[in-house]
Each structure stands twice: as C-alpha cells, then as structure tokens.
Amino acid sequence: MAKRPLLWTRLDHPGVPKVWVDQGFVGRLAHWTAQILGRELEIVRRGPDQRGFHVQPKRWAVERTFSWLIARRRLARDYETSLAHSETVIRWTMIGVMVRRLTRGRPASRPGPRSFSRAEACGLNCRAPEGSPLTS
C-alpha cells in the first residue's frame, strides 16, 4: 500500500535521501525501501511512556499543513469533481499562505501568556453591584 507513493517520491524527487513515516508502516517496508529504492526510511514512533496527544517530530509539519488546507471552505469537503481542480485549489491555497508570510514583514510569533483581570473579562466599565462579594 505504501510502496507506490514511495516509488513515486523516488522517481519525482531523486534528491530526497530520507523519508519519515508513521509507526503504522513498521515491517518489511523499511528493508524494501533501502534495497529497492536506495533510500532511508525512518519510522517516527511514540515514546514508550507517552499517554495522550504529544507533537511527534517531523509529523507535525505535515498535519499543520493539512490544517491550513482544511481551513479553506472549498477544501473542507471534497467538492471538486476532477483531480486537476482539487490540485489547483490546493496550489491556490498554499500560494495564499506563502503570500501572507511574505507580506507580513516580520517573523511569525505567538503572543505570550496574558494576565487575567476582571476589567478584561467584562469590559472596562464593568462594576460589581454594591454589597456583592466581588466588591469586598
């Protein structure tokens, strides 16, 4: 099942020396990839003591890209009738992502943790009624 995409990766991108795959591909696939394709197949595994969701190395970039694609309404469902249309919409979406990055003018950053205050929670003019436990 995974041999065909690996073969096409080898033919389309001959300079790619290593391929990362999910732990579901453990088995003879790594040996086949090394012998037939001449590529290293690295299996990204969960830690033995890991419980719940944790970001896996290398895998997160792919899942993040899928989330960018799904964020577009047209790609949220498979509305396209032909593969060429679907590919065009994906390219169009990724062009939009890259243009947004280029025009931003600064590196991406996340805001740090903010302190929580009552004024922020209910607006600047929020006042607790007299005699309320909030005023004491």
Side-chain angles (χ1 to χ4, degrees):
M1 184 166 144
K3 288 182 179 181
R4 183 176 290 171
L6 286 171
L7 180 61
W8 281 110
T9 301
R10 169 70 170 98
L11 294 173
D12 290 344
H13 307 285
V16 174
K18 182 187 280 191
V19 179
W20 287 278
V21 296
D22 197 351
Q23 62 190 6
F25 294 102
V26 174
R28 288 186 263 163
L29 185 63
H31 180 70
W32 180 84
T33 305
Q35 294 292 57
I36 305 298
L37 301 180
R39 298 290 182 255
E40 182 183 350
L41 188 74
E42 185 177 322
I43 298 168
V44 179
R45 299 177 186 266
R46 300 173 88 182
D49 58 340
Q50 180 180 342
R51 298 283 182 244
F53 176 77
H54 292 282
V55 176
Q56 301 294 324
K58 306 293 181 197
R59 184 176 171 173
W60 189 249
V62 174
E63 292 178 2
R64 180 187 61 211
T65 304
F66 285 152
S67 72
W68 290 336
L69 293 174
I70 299 301
R72 306 291 181 209
R73 289 184 78 146
R74 190 163 179 172
L75 292 171
R77 300 283 184 266
D78 193 16
Y79 292 126
E80 307 303 325
T81 56
S82 79
L83 188 59
H85 287 177
S86 196
E87 182 180 345
T88 301
V89 175
I90 290 170
R91 287 178 187 264
W92 185 20
T93 300
M94 293 312 293
I95 288 170
V97 168
M98 295 307 294
V99 166
R100 220 176 21 258
R101 285 182 180 176
L102 290 171
T103 58
R104 181 171 35 216
R106 57 180 168 67
S109 63
R110 290 183 175 265
R114 295 184 346 179
S115 61
F116 181 75
S117 69
R118 187 180 303 148
E120 289 180 19
C122 59
L124 295 176
N125 296 327
C126 178
R127 292 184 113 174
E130 285 296 321
S132 167
L134 295 176
T135 57
S136 56

